[in-house]
Amino acid sequence: MAKRQLHLGAILEGVGADHHSWLDPDLPGNASIDINWYIEQARLAEAAKFDLIFIVDSPYITPDTAPHFLNRLEPLTLLSAVAASTSHIGLVGTLTTSYWEPYNVARQFASLDHISRGRAGWNVVTTGLEGAALNYGRDAHFEHGVRYARAREFVEVVQGLWDSYEDDAFPRDRASGTFLDKSKQHRLDHKGTHFSVAGPLALSRSRQGQPVIFQAGDSSEGRALGAAIAEGTFAASQDFESGSAYYADLKARAAALGRNPDHIIVMPGLVPTIAETDEEARAVAEAAQGALSIDKLLTQVGRFFNYHDFSKYELDAPFPDLSGVTLNSYKGGAERVIRIAAEEKLTLRQAAYRFGQWTSPFVGSPETVANEIERWFTGRAADGFNLRVTRPRDFALFREKVVPILQERGLFRSDYADDTLRGHLGLPVPQHRHAQPPVAIAAE
Amino acid sequence: MAKRQLHLGAILEGVGADHHSWLDPDLPGNASIDINWYIEQARLAEAAKFDLIFIVDSPYITPDTAPHFLNRLEPLTLLSAVAASTSHIGLVGTLTTSYWEPYNVARQFASLDHISRGRAGWNVVTTGLEGAALNYGRDAHFEHGVRYARAREFVEVVQGLWDSYEDDAFPRDRASGTFLDKSKQHRLDHKGTHFSVAGPLALSRSRQGQPVIFQAGDSSEGRALGAAIAEGTFAASQDFESGSAYYADLKARAAALGRNPDHIIVMPGLVPTIAETDEEARAVAEAAQGALSIDKLLTQVGRFFNYHDFSKYELDAPFPDLSGVTLNSYKGGAERVIRIAAEEKLTLRQAAYRFGQWTSPFVGSPETVANEIERWFTGRAADGFNLRVTRPRDFALFREKVVPILQERGLFRSDYADDTLRGHLGLPVPQHRHAQPPVAIAAE
């Protein structure tokens, strides 16, 4: 087995998933709708040998939504344009299983996988926001459990469609006039609880076989889905302890399902604040936090609770009782807020500062940040990290100062050894379900 | 009013929508799934100052489907990748209103429109093939009339979503902390017969305001839809007479609806066969036709009738009575086959040669082909043409020999005067439905 290697992703979130990042004068105001901004960030990440870039998504906004979400490019079109301007880096896009047709999703990700020559990944989400239903002809969003059942079947259908053609289905033999070997085209004929899809899909497999499946949900249903289908997860872990608990739980769940736990790559989010010294970095982080207005923070906390309006409560009273509020939104996040607020007896103001922004343990000099990354990696709280790169200065310092330390320590690649996303992540090419005879699987 | 100008598009159909084009040794066998092939063709068309490239589509295949349709990139992802590698040419993709959600379609085309800086176009189709229903959880395809009613409402919703933000909705003023002027974000709140969509869409308008709407259906429902919504049509006209009749009918229908007939650009398909002399070109065209096998031609004719199996009929008997066969497929084409077969008393074999391939009046020397183009253009059978470029040799001769003649005659541009698709086509930027006060429209 090859030496375990750290994986790095870059979350390209334009002007930011919060209400203050766009104020950074180094960040172009139109970053979220400018394809050249994305191409430039992807090339920077590729030059630093990152495994992948990652595009978040959700299909619902209000006037109070954070700037990046208000006005942004759509993930599949965005990533296809970036594919044409990069050569190695993986391209992972978020797409909800609640409001798309599996046949269209299978086609678009398979097409991105061809366009990028085997670099596509799909972050499977079920949509946390109730209001999304209204954009898709429904009065109410699917109930939380139904969303996850649908997601599981949806992915099964999509992966089935991705195997519509065996890898040698197209002889394209001009002499005999044989373009397709018809025996190697397969219908799916799926008839399930939520979907009925005949196939075949009009697209062959790519160089990596199939796009890589990612997943991020942290509720118990989310973890169960991740353990079953994910080849990578974008965990929400905000400290080493919760990170290592999540890591152990997810890998154990995957093993219990008969899966190889090494084939599910755990990549928590990482928001770095880097400066020459630890003191300087801490001062920068504290100044950034002090600049946040309490109403923006309350709006952010509200997002876990389907945009619940927290401004109506007393700020310095205990965190309000939300027993009447639906948790059919970002359930994992909402439950965590309620649990910790109760355990630590937080006021609403304290909860707003705690949960209305991303608090990060990755604050310090390049050496300190590299140490913390190594601690998480060797301590099995992470197989890698997904870096939020909204602040241009921190992204530059990370690439130029932190990555070289990780490379010197032999934790992170100095050059690409492969040019597919599966190759970067050490994931096997999935065997074709109709291949005969079975291909021998390399020893692991 | 500016001098009327010819418009040219290039249909990029990879290895071809028929069963024989792929045999051309100049055409790479993997053209339909190789993004570099598309990028190269788009750049060639752009160097020749074409208005647009056009990608066909349909969401259903069988083992007998023609090579290009069997295995091809998906239009939106494909065009986004091409957008990143071109600067001027319009990018038009086909997408069915029968099996997509308007919210997702609006987002992806708007995103392509941003990525390409105002070069996106959507060819609105309703899907002709019955079998498509089985890929989308339905037992039967929508009935022909329902398909067109849905298409009309679908486009109305999408165009409404495209106006979710007024053009000055984002002041992004760091001093005042104002990213969005909330009064300039608009919900759609559409509740119609077929769709219910609240909005707003999370994407502002592009440099050309909105993507350009194309349409191609030739049934009476298709023409009614085209007259109502289309800003360009890809007509199926195969000779000057039917072409000019279609042109007059469509423009009259548009005028009757209060539209400016100059704002609906009629672009029939054009399959050129070009050689040094007319004699040589005719010989090439006849040899190509003689090489076709009768069973492939019957399969192609069957496509108009939902893959009806014509091989069971006597070849030299009169064209069979199809009164029991559904016309809920490519109805316009099927009706045309039945009508002409009856009028001209064709046998099945004659009908197969007539309708199982594209017969083209654009055969001859570059001069002859240019003359025929000018005749259609000045004779009001066409505002331009959409060129099938499956045969590399004919595409090269068209660009290198025919286009210069059209330029010399002042019919076609020698350089781009604009860099949006609306600019190329002489179409106005649609006024924003919420703009106050109304912007003055330039005199035409």
Side-chain angles (χ1 to χ4, degrees):
Chain A
M1 180 180 160
K3 182 168 177 298
R4 187 165 165 255
Q5 279 273 318
L6 185 76
H7 302 287
L8 291 176
I11 309 176
L12 303 188
E13 245 169 358
V15 290
D18 51 49
H19 286 272
H20 49 86
S21 292
W22 74 277
L23 296 167
D24 185 335
D26 293 341
L27 192 63
N30 67 345
S32 298
I33 55 168
D34 179 4
I35 192 63
N36 292 326
W37 181 84
Y38 290 97
I39 290 173
E40 191 189 334
Q41 306 312 307
R43 285 177 170 165
L44 291 170
E46 188 169 78
K49 315 304 174 193
F50 275 45
D51 295 71
L52 58 92
I53 61 166
F54 171 51
I55 307 296
V56 299
D57 198 44
S58 88
Y60 172 67
I61 57 168
T62 75
D64 294 314
T65 299
H68 173 64
F69 303 146
L70 280 176
N71 191 19
R72 57 171 158 178
L73 300 180
E74 178 280 333
L76 269 301
T77 45
L78 185 171
L79 290 170
S80 298
V82 172
S85 303
T86 52
S87 60
H88 284 73
I89 197 160
L91 306 166
V92 184
T94 299
L95 195 139
T96 177
T97 54
S98 293
Y99 300 110
W100 280 76
E101 291 283 349
Y103 195 83
N104 296 336
V105 171
R107 265 191 92 191
Q108 293 201 320
F109 274 104
S111 189
L112 174 63
D113 212 21
H114 274 278
I115 289 168
S116 63
R117 293 181 53 76
R119 296 185 281 137
W122 171 25
N123 179 38
V124 176
V125 301
T126 66
T127 297
L129 300 168
E130 289 276 323
L134 304 176
N135 288 330
Y136 296 95
R138 288 179 55 90
D139 292 332
H141 193 26
F142 296 103
E143 185 273 316
H144 194 263
V146 173
R147 272 158 51 193
Y148 279 88
R150 283 174 53 93
R152 182 122 172 215
E153 187 181 331
F154 195 115
V155 172
E156 188 187 319
V157 171
V158 166
Q159 290 179 319
L161 290 170
W162 283 338
D163 275 358
S164 290
Y165 289 111
E166 294 178 49
D167 292 338
D168 54 353
F170 292 97
R172 301 188 184 108
D173 178 21
R174 290 194 176 91
S176 66
T178 309
F179 188 83
L180 165 69
D181 176 348
K182 294 182 188 181
S183 73
K184 296 187 171 176
Q185 184 200 68
H186 300 277
R187 282 172 68 106
L188 181 64
D189 286 326
H190 174 91
K191 283 187 193 299
T193 310
H194 303 285
F195 302 102
S196 162
V197 181
L201 193 74
L203 207 42
S204 53
R205 307 211 317 170
S206 81
R207 294 171 67 239
Q208 68 171 353
Q210 295 191 348
V212 181
I213 300 292
F214 292 86
Q215 197 270 346
D218 193 30
S219 64
S220 69
E221 293 90 341
R223 291 186 185 198
L225 178 68
I229 63 156
E231 300 174 279
T233 72
F234 298 131
S237 325
Q238 287 197 23
D239 56 63
F240 177 82
E241 288 66 31
S242 66
S244 53
Y246 169 84
Y247 187 103
D249 179 50
L250 193 76
K251 301 259 175 170
R253 287 174 185 253
L257 295 171
R259 296 184 60 200
N260 181 341
D262 292 340
H263 293 167
I264 177 167
I265 311 293
V266 174
M267 298 175 72
L270 189 164
V271 186
T273 301
I274 308 168
E276 191 115 356
T277 65
D278 290 353
E279 293 65 33
E280 220 181 299
R282 275 198 296 270
V284 170
E286 278 160 26
Q289 302 214 341
L292 301 179
S293 75
I294 185 70
D295 51 318
K296 300 283 189 193
L297 293 171
L298 291 176
T299 302
Q300 283 296 112
V301 175
R303 203 158 183 275
F304 289 113
F305 300 87
N306 196 36
Y307 286 112
H308 184 67
D309 177 15
F310 279 95
S311 70
K312 63 187 175 191
Y313 302 109
E314 173 59 50
L315 272 172
D316 295 308
F319 189 76
D321 175 12
L322 297 175
S323 43
V325 174
T326 175
L327 291 188
N328 184 26
S329 190
Y330 294 105
K331 194 178 165 207
E335 287 174 344
R336 188 169 147 269
V337 170
I338 292 174
R339 178 172 52 76
I340 296 177
E343 282 173 9
E344 305 188 10
K345 300 196 188 353
L346 302 179
T347 64
L348 175 58
R349 186 191 304 272
Q350 289 167 327
Y353 279 94
R354 173 80 165 266
F355 304 109
Q357 59 191 326
W358 188 275
T359 55
S360 170
F362 299 90
V363 176
S365 68
E367 188 85 17
T368 297
V369 171
N371 289 346
E372 185 70 3
I373 287 173
E374 182 167 3
R375 184 167 82 101
W376 285 53
F377 179 66
T378 57
R380 300 273 174 175
D383 295 315
F385 293 92
N386 213 5
L387 194 71
R388 277 223 158 100
V389 300
T390 304
R391 287 185 301 214
R393 186 175 166 279
D394 285 310
F395 186 30
L397 287 169
F398 190 91
R399 295 189 322 268
E400 292 160 15
K401 305 287 183 186
V402 179
V403 167
I405 298 173
L406 299 171
Q407 289 169 329
E408 274 164 36
R409 296 183 186 175
L411 297 171
F412 187 62
R413 69 176 71 83
S414 295
D415 202 357
Y416 289 111
D418 208 320
D419 58 1
T420 67
L421 179 53
R422 287 188 184 277
H424 303 331
L425 295 174
L427 296 171
V429 172
Q431 193 180 335
H432 196 290
R433 66 194 63 198
H434 297 289
Q436 290 290 348
V439 176
I441 296 172
E444 287 159 350
Chain B
M1 181 182 162
K3 183 168 176 298
R4 187 166 164 253
Q5 279 272 320
L6 185 75
H7 303 287
L8 291 176
I11 310 177
L12 303 188
E13 246 169 356
V15 290
D18 52 50
H19 286 272
H20 50 86
S21 292
W22 73 278
L23 296 167
D24 185 334
D26 293 341
L27 193 62
N30 68 344
S32 298
I33 55 168
D34 179 5
I35 192 64
N36 292 326
W37 181 85
Y38 290 96
I39 290 173
E40 191 189 333
Q41 306 312 306
R43 285 177 171 166
L44 291 170
E46 187 168 79
K49 315 304 175 193
F50 274 45
D51 295 72
L52 57 92
I53 62 166
F54 171 51
I55 307 296
V56 299
D57 198 44
S58 88
Y60 171 68
I61 57 167
T62 75
D64 294 314
T65 298
H68 173 64
F69 303 146
L70 280 176
N71 191 19
R72 57 171 157 178
L73 300 179
E74 178 279 334
L76 268 300
T77 45
L78 186 172
L79 290 171
S80 299
V82 172
S85 304
T86 53
S87 59
H88 283 72
I89 197 160
L91 306 166
V92 184
T94 299
L95 195 141
T96 179
T97 54
S98 294
Y99 300 111
W100 279 77
E101 291 284 348
Y103 195 83
N104 296 336
V105 172
R107 265 191 92 189
Q108 292 202 318
F109 273 104
S111 188
L112 174 63
D113 212 20
H114 274 278
I115 289 168
S116 63
R117 294 182 51 77
R119 296 185 280 138
W122 171 25
N123 179 40
V124 176
V125 301
T126 66
T127 297
L129 300 168
E130 289 276 324
L134 304 177
N135 288 331
Y136 296 94
R138 287 179 55 91
D139 293 330
H141 194 25
F142 296 102
E143 186 274 315
H144 194 265
V146 173
R147 271 157 53 194
Y148 279 88
R150 284 174 53 93
R152 183 121 172 216
E153 188 181 330
F154 195 115
V155 172
E156 189 186 318
V157 171
V158 167
Q159 290 180 319
L161 289 170
W162 283 338
D163 276 357
S164 290
Y165 288 112
E166 294 179 50
D167 292 338
D168 54 353
F170 292 97
R172 300 188 185 108
D173 178 20
R174 290 195 176 92
S176 67
T178 310
F179 189 82
L180 164 70
D181 177 347
K182 294 182 188 181
S183 73
K184 296 187 172 176
Q185 183 200 68
H186 300 278
R187 282 172 68 106
L188 181 64
D189 286 326
H190 174 91
K191 285 188 193 298
T193 309
H194 304 284
F195 302 102
S196 162
V197 181
L201 193 74
L203 206 42
S204 53
R205 307 212 315 171
S206 81
R207 294 171 68 238
Q208 67 171 354
Q210 295 191 348
V212 181
I213 301 291
F214 293 86
Q215 196 270 345
D218 193 29
S219 63
S220 70
E221 292 90 342
R223 289 187 186 198
L225 179 68
I229 63 157
E231 300 173 279
T233 72
F234 299 131
S237 324
Q238 288 197 25
D239 57 62
F240 177 82
E241 288 68 31
S242 67
S244 52
Y246 168 84
Y247 187 102
D249 179 49
L250 193 75
K251 300 262 177 168
R253 287 174 185 254
L257 295 171
R259 296 185 58 200
N260 180 342
D262 293 339
H263 293 167
I264 177 166
I265 311 294
V266 175
M267 298 176 74
L270 189 164
V271 185
T273 302
I274 308 168
E276 190 113 356
T277 65
D278 290 354
E279 293 67 32
E280 220 181 299
R282 274 198 297 269
V284 170
E286 278 160 25
Q289 302 215 339
L292 302 179
S293 75
I294 185 71
D295 52 315
K296 300 283 189 194
L297 294 171
L298 291 176
T299 303
Q300 282 296 113
V301 175
R303 204 160 182 274
F304 289 114
F305 299 89
N306 196 37
Y307 285 111
H308 184 66
D309 176 16
F310 279 95
S311 70
K312 63 188 176 189
Y313 303 109
E314 173 58 51
L315 272 173
D316 294 309
F319 188 77
D321 175 13
L322 297 175
S323 41
V325 174
T326 175
L327 291 187
N328 185 27
S329 186
Y330 292 106
K331 194 178 165 207
E335 286 174 344
R336 188 169 147 266
V337 170
I338 293 173
R339 177 172 52 76
I340 296 177
E343 282 172 10
E344 305 187 12
K345 300 197 189 351
L346 302 179
T347 63
L348 176 57
R349 187 191 303 274
Q350 289 168 328
Y353 279 95
R354 174 79 165 268
F355 303 110
Q357 59 191 325
W358 188 274
T359 55
S360 169
F362 299 90
V363 175
S365 69
E367 189 84 17
T368 297
V369 170
N371 290 345
E372 185 70 5
I373 287 174
E374 183 167 5
R375 182 167 83 101
W376 285 53
F377 179 65
T378 57
R380 301 272 175 178
D383 296 316
F385 293 91
N386 214 5
L387 194 71
R388 277 223 157 100
V389 300
T390 304
R391 287 185 301 215
R393 187 175 166 278
D394 285 309
F395 186 31
L397 286 169
F398 191 91
R399 295 188 325 265
E400 291 160 15
K401 304 287 185 186
V402 178
V403 166
I405 298 172
L406 299 170
Q407 290 170 329
E408 273 164 37
R409 296 182 187 176
L411 297 171
F412 187 63
R413 68 177 71 84
S414 296
D415 201 355
Y416 289 111
D418 209 322
D419 58 1
T420 67
L421 179 53
R422 289 188 181 278
H424 303 330
L425 295 174
L427 296 171
V429 172
Q431 192 180 335
H432 196 289
R433 66 194 62 199
H434 298 290
Q436 288 292 349
V439 176
I441 296 172
E444 289 161 346

